[in-house]
Amino acid sequence: MNGFSDFVHQLLRAVLRLVLITAAAVFVFSLLIATLLLMLGASLWALLGGRRPEPGWLLHRFRQTASRHARGAWPARAGRAPPDIVDVTARDVPATPSSPEAADRTTPVSRDPMARMLR
């Protein structure tokens, strides 16, 4: 009985593994098809608008957005210098306003939200 039980477990494990691999392949394939359809649609939209189609623009936009959120996730381009860092000299801000316009802005704000909107 133990041999038959092991055989059934191995068979179920192999079937489950095959189902999961097939599901992953279908997901990746559908993602690829969706990307290609999106690129084709963007190219057709550009042609209808009288512009040159740039299918790589979508990938460029994605990498640009992703690089803002995940530093170092994408390799840096060769020959690109890091941005210059400029130090700013600190200065004291006067405690009292020097102009009437500044005095008007420093008046206490009421708790009424409409009063703030009407100002």
Side-chain angles (χ1 to χ4, degrees), residues 50-108:
R51 295 175 306 209
R52 192 178 96 206
E54 297 182 35
W57 175 81
L58 293 173
L59 181 62
H60 173 72
R61 269 302 272 240
F62 172 73
R63 289 182 76 174
Q64 189 178 34
T65 304
S67 69
R68 277 187 277 158
H69 299 291
R71 297 279 179 209
W74 301 100
R77 291 186 180 170
R80 200 176 201 187
D84 293 333
I85 298 174
V86 179
D87 286 336
V88 179
T89 55
R91 62 180 178 88
D92 289 331
V93 178
T96 59
S98 58
S99 66
E101 295 87 19
D104 187 37
R105 280 186 267 140
T106 60
T107 56

Side-chain angles (χ1 to χ4, degrees), residues 26-44 54-60 62:
V26 166
F27 175 73
V28 169
F29 185 70
S30 65
L31 196 60
L32 177 67
I33 294 297
T35 303
L36 289 175
L37 288 175
L38 185 64
M39 292 255 202
L40 180 68
S43 296
L44 288 175
E54 297 182 35
W57 175 81
L58 293 173
L59 181 62
H60 173 72
F62 172 73

